[in-house]
Amino acid sequence: MPPLKFCANLSWLFTDLPEFTQRIYAAASAGFQAVEAAWLYDSDLQELQRVKNATGVDVVLINTPLGDAKAGDLGLGAVPGREEDFRKGLDLAMQYAKALDCRSIHLMAGRVPVGADRATIAVEMEDTFVQNLKHAADVLSNEGITGLIEPINTRITDPRYFLDSPHQAAAILQKVGHPNIKLQMDVFHWQIMDSNLTQNIHKYFPLIGHIQIAQVPSRNEPDSAGEINFPYLFSLLEEMGYQGYIGCEYKPLGSTNEGLGWVKDYLKRNK
């Protein structure tokens, strides 16, 4: 079984450095061969390209734009009436992904509108999401890019986020019916919402296109105190033959480099 591969999430790691270009250099110096980030859109694209090429680091995942962050948007994929804004955001994400040779884009669902009842608007939001995902699938397939949808927990992180469980995501993926739209498994969110990690991984493994990790409930390094047994989880993913990257999307307890002992130990054991 080949060892797992880890990438640095630059929206969470090396955040003492203000520029994403600086964080790419830092990730490369720390031994990462790949990075991911949520939103790079305030960074100069040509400079990102230059640093990517200079370091040889792969960019493996970016998110679609938030929308109007000041108005409280967190993605637009499932938000009724914002379809045109979603498509414009997808076009921008595609521009960055193509320039950076990034092969995956997280298509953010967005939040239940303020004042709306989740149960009342759920069918409309799902229909909107499915149609937007079908459009995205066609656009992305022309470039060989995978679209991802990620459940985000509504118990701690974001009570208004529309997509909050792997079960909901799997049902939506079935309705979309495109093989280049897959499931992004963030272990932190899955554990908080459902806890049944082993069975859910087995059940949804064929749908998974990307994985992210953080300890629960603190969202710190995998070897920090918490609910998840990461050595077991890593062994499970090895046994199942997971070959993609695993994004390190956690809050370091100290400096990023001080908290990387867990990944260094893993790689030493699996040479």
Side-chain angles (χ1 to χ4, degrees):
M1 295 177 291
L4 302 173
K5 303 181 298 183
F6 299 93
C7 65
N9 187 304
L10 300 184
S11 298
W12 291 77
L13 304 186
F14 305 106
T15 56
D16 55 311
L17 301 171
E19 301 294 334
F20 277 108
T21 49
Q22 295 173 301
R23 297 178 195 178
I24 294 173
Y25 277 118
S29 295
F32 286 102
Q33 296 180 347
V35 299
E36 63 182 34
W39 303 285
L40 295 167
Y41 304 112
D42 290 334
S43 299
D44 181 79
L45 183 52
Q46 289 186 335
E47 186 63 11
L48 288 170
Q49 282 182 297
R50 186 190 68 78
V51 173
K52 173 189 178 299
N53 293 334
T55 58
V57 168
D58 290 328
V59 179
V60 298
L61 173 70
I62 60 173
N63 292 0
T64 49
L66 289 168
D68 186 347
K70 292 182 179 179
D73 290 340
L74 191 66
L76 300 171
V79 183
R82 302 293 298 279
E83 290 86 351
E84 187 61 31
D85 292 331
F86 171 80
R87 293 188 179 199
K88 289 178 181 177
L90 177 61
D91 290 343
L92 180 60
M94 286 285 293
Q95 178 186 347
Y96 272 70
K98 288 165 64 177
L100 299 171
D101 195 27
C102 175
R103 311 319 298 169
S104 296
I105 297 176
H106 170 200
L107 307 166
M108 298 198 71
R111 290 169 167 154
V112 174
V114 174
D117 176 70
R118 178 183 290 271
T120 302
I121 201 172
V123 171
E124 184 181 3
M125 292 193 72
E126 181 177 291
D127 289 344
T128 300
F129 201 22
V130 168
Q131 293 307 312
N132 279 333
L133 291 175
K134 287 182 176 179
H135 167 77
D138 292 336
V139 172
L140 296 174
S141 64
N142 292 332
E143 302 294 339
I145 295 174
T146 298
L148 299 165
I149 62 171
E150 178 192 10
I152 294 176
N153 82 81
T154 50
R155 290 179 173 159
I156 297 174
T157 300
D158 196 316
R160 286 175 42 222
Y161 202 74
F162 171 68
L163 186 68
D164 67 357
S165 81
H167 318 298
Q168 180 191 13
I172 288 171
L173 289 175
Q174 186 174 22
K175 292 183 178 182
V176 173
H178 283 260
N180 69 319
I181 306 295
K182 291 187 172 293
L183 179 59
Q184 181 169 314
M185 180 182 80
D186 189 319
V187 173
F188 175 78
H189 297 303
W190 285 32
Q191 171 68 7
I192 290 171
M193 290 303 295
D194 207 54
S195 301
N196 191 21
L197 285 178
T198 300
Q199 295 304 315
N200 283 337
I201 290 171
H202 277 286
K203 183 175 182 179
Y204 297 120
F205 189 78
L207 303 178
I208 292 173
H210 188 66
I211 295 174
Q212 293 173 327
I213 56 172
Q215 187 56 273
V216 176
S218 60
R219 209 167 189 176
N220 299 131
E221 289 91 340
D223 62 346
S224 61
E227 299 174 10
I228 301 176
N229 181 342
F230 276 99
Y232 166 80
L233 183 64
F234 292 159
S235 294
L236 175 62
L237 293 173
E238 290 170 357
E239 291 169 8
M240 298 193 70
Y242 180 71
Q243 297 180 358
Y245 274 100
I246 297 176
C248 302
E249 191 182 78
Y250 59 76
K251 298 177 292 186
L253 285 167
S255 74
T256 297
N257 283 313
E258 289 172 349
L260 291 177
W262 67 271
V263 69
K264 294 176 180 176
D265 289 344
Y266 173 86
L267 294 175
K268 284 180 182 177
R269 292 195 303 270
N270 290 275
K271 281 186 176 179

